[in-house]
Amino acid sequence: MSVDHVEELEGRGEGEAVTMAASELRSYAVAPGARLNVRSGPGTGYAIVRVLPEGARVTIFCQRPGTTVAGPYGTTNIWDNIDDGEYVSDAYVNTGSDGYVRPRCS
């Protein structure tokens, strides 16, 4: 968990923050056979910072709108924040939903 994500949990009782983090954060599978570009922002115009290997799983901290992308799980403009300054298109992540599954990034 990054410092930014810890700050989001501050102001609550310590036990509550730990429980919330454990219960709300989960990993999601990236589309089978896909090597997924991780970008520095929510869109295809942002730089690629790394590539996730086939079979990867990601934890989504928050989501935000960006460039529309067509992928194995539909066409969407939702981008998933998987780490500080790292985004992947939700069209390649099996969240089981066509909408937002995490809070919007601030």
Side-chain angles (χ1 to χ4, degrees), residues 46-60:
Y46 289 88
I48 297 171
V49 295
R50 63 183 170 122
V51 178
L52 297 177
E54 290 184 30
R57 296 185 68 84
V58 295
T59 299
I60 302 171

Side-chain angles (χ1 to χ4, degrees), residues 5-26:
H5 302 300
V6 171
E7 289 174 357
E8 290 175 10
L9 301 176
E10 285 180 3
R12 301 182 180 167
E14 185 177 333
E16 182 181 350
V18 171
T19 302
M20 186 177 118
S23 66
E24 289 189 17
L25 294 178
R26 58 177 281 214

